[in-house]
């Protein structure tokens, strides 16, 4: 199958490679010419055979809107656009209307896997009409992890990004719980091997997880996280999850508290946020800030 891919950063570039490794043709475009297969977005569209499929992997908001506006004028009826970035689900509904008015299909795909996706595969949460989703199934199969899990057609347009948003909200709460436990262990005078305690939890406990494995990786690199500043950003999905909970009158005390804890990291060098920052770097390659030297 042929597909165009717009945005070849950390995830987009690895996704291009994984799709190609599965035997499909990928034509990639990026504003960085060193990464791009073509010079212009119009060149990407011209090189695809109809009906075309173009996957967008650019930052949510204005950048995604700009690319979709361009594609709306370049693509033809029967073509399909996939937004695989971290867009808000309400934007998906808008994009589907805009493209649908031109006869162009739209699919939203929540993508999880970070910098490990090339090797392990990407978890995909997809929203859209059945006909558009089924057409792209070979690409979804190429990207997902091996085995029966890691892909779901979650529902209509917007469902994919809504599911990914909730996934990230849960991720917030899990990271916060590990961070709080780590700080308490570090404070206890009787515990002399906090890293080894975390390592011991990797087998035979109910709290073992990939995040725990990544926490051990971070502690192996910097046992007391002394090189990190206790500061962690919050992405749009964390806030959107709490907003959606308010709109639907669903209590989310753990997820909401984990979001507010990141706000606290703006005010001081929070030990808990060192662990959260380390975990975000481990699973997603997100930037970290170095600790200030005395």
């Amino acid at each position: 199958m042929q597909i165009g891919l717009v945005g070849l950063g950390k995830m987009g570039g690895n996704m291009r490679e994984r799709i190609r490794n599965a035997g499909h043709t990928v034509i990639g475009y990026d504003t960085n010419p060193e990464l791009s297969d073509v010079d212009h977005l119009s060149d990407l569209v011209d090189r695809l055979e109809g009906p075309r499929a173009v996957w967008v992997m650019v930052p949510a908001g204005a950048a995604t809107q700009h690319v979709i506006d361009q594609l709306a004028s370049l693509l033809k009826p029967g073509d399909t656009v996939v937004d695989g970035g971290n867009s808000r689900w309400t934007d998906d509904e808008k994009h589907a209307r805009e493209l649908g008015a031109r006869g162009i299909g739209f699919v939203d795909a929540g993508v999880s896997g970070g910098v490990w996706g090339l090797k392990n595969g990407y978890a995909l949460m997809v929203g859209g009409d059945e006909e558009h989703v089924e057409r792209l199934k070979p690409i979804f199969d190429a990207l997902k992890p091996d085995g029966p899990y890691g892909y779901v057609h979650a529902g209509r347009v917007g469902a994919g990004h809504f599911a990914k948003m909730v996934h990230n909200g849960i991720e917030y709460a899990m990271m916060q719980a590990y961070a709080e436990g780590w700080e308490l262990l570090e404070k206890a005078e009787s515990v002399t091997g906090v890293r080894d305690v975390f390592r011991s939890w990797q087998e035979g406990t109910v709290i073992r997880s990939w995040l725990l494995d990544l926490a051990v990786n971070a502690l192996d690199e910097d046992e007391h996280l002394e090189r990190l500043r206790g500061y962690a950003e919050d992405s749009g999905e964390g806030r959107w999850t709490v907003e959606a909970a308010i709109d639907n009158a669903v209590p989310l005390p753990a997820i909401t508290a984990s979001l507010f804890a990141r706000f606290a990291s703006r005010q001081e060098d929070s030990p808990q946020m060192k662990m959260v920052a380390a975990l975000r770097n481990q699973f997603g390659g997100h930037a970290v800030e170095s600790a200030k030297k005395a």
Side-chain angles (χ1 to χ4, degrees):
M1 182 175 175
Q2 273 191 333
I3 191 165
L5 183 57
V6 181
L8 302 171
K10 291 176 183 176
M11 286 189 68
N14 282 346
M15 289 169 63
R16 173 174 62 176
E17 186 175 347
R18 186 171 174 91
I19 296 170
R20 284 177 174 171
N21 289 344
H24 301 290
T25 299
V26 184
I27 301 167
Y29 170 72
D30 195 275
T31 53
N32 181 351
E34 294 181 3
L35 303 176
S36 193
D37 299 322
V38 293
D39 293 330
H40 303 284
L41 186 59
S42 59
D43 298 332
L44 178 150
V45 172
D46 289 343
R47 285 181 55 179
L48 293 172
E49 299 173 1
R52 304 169 184 84
V54 180
W55 189 302
V56 180
M57 284 298 292
V58 301
T64 294
Q65 185 66 60
H66 177 66
V67 172
I68 287 178
D69 287 344
Q70 288 182 290
L71 289 173
S73 65
L74 293 169
L75 295 175
K76 305 294 184 185
D79 295 343
T80 306
V81 173
V82 183
D83 179 7
N86 283 328
S87 293
R88 187 182 173 97
W89 80 96
T90 49
D91 289 344
D92 296 327
E93 297 166 356
K94 175 176 180 288
H95 296 152
R97 287 194 302 270
E98 293 169 348
L99 293 170
R102 296 173 178 261
I104 301 167
F106 178 81
V107 172
D108 60 287
V111 182
S112 181
V115 296
W116 298 86
L118 174 58
K119 176 183 176 182
N120 298 337
Y122 298 88
L124 303 171
M125 294 142 273
V126 175
D129 293 344
E130 188 73 27
E131 61 177 304
H132 302 140
V133 172
E134 280 302 308
R135 183 179 161 230
L136 289 151
K137 195 64 164 51
I139 301 301
F140 298 144
D141 287 340
L143 287 169
K144 68 178 285 295
D146 296 334
Y149 305 115
Y151 164 82
V152 63
H153 182 186
R156 65 189 188 188
V157 165
H161 281 144
F162 195 95
K164 175 59 164 46
M165 175 194 74
V166 174
H167 165 280
N168 283 22
I170 293 170
E171 177 187 290
Y172 268 50
M174 291 176 66
M175 286 195 288
Q176 184 64 27
Y178 284 128
E180 291 176 8
W182 173 80
E183 182 180 3
L184 182 56
L185 287 166
E186 284 280 327
K187 286 288 187 180
E189 294 182 2
S190 60
V191 180
T192 57
V194 175
R195 177 175 58 184
D196 292 334
V197 170
F198 262 59
R199 199 188 313 280
S200 76
W201 292 343
Q202 289 181 278
E203 297 292 342
T205 73
V206 296
I207 64 167
R208 64 189 185 275
S209 71
W210 188 33
L211 276 176
L212 178 61
D213 295 341
L214 295 174
V216 172
N217 288 351
L219 295 173
D220 282 341
E221 294 170 5
D222 182 4
E223 182 174 357
H224 302 288
L225 303 181
E226 293 171 329
R227 296 197 297 269
L228 296 180
R229 178 188 169 203
Y231 176 96
E233 282 288 356
D234 66 283
S235 60
E237 295 98 318
R239 297 188 184 211
W240 299 339
T241 303
V242 174
E243 291 170 1
I246 294 169
D247 292 340
N248 289 279
V250 175
L252 300 185
I255 292 174
T256 302
S258 67
L259 174 65
F260 289 174
R262 295 199 186 187
F263 295 164
S265 80
R266 315 292 198 271
Q267 300 166 355
E268 59 183 323
D269 190 22
S270 166
Q272 293 175 19
M273 288 304 121
K274 290 187 178 186
M275 175 57 79
V276 172
L279 283 168
R280 295 181 80 244
N281 177 257
Q282 286 288 324
F283 72 72
H286 300 291
V288 296
E289 297 194 15
S290 298
K292 295 181 180 178
K293 295 182 178 180

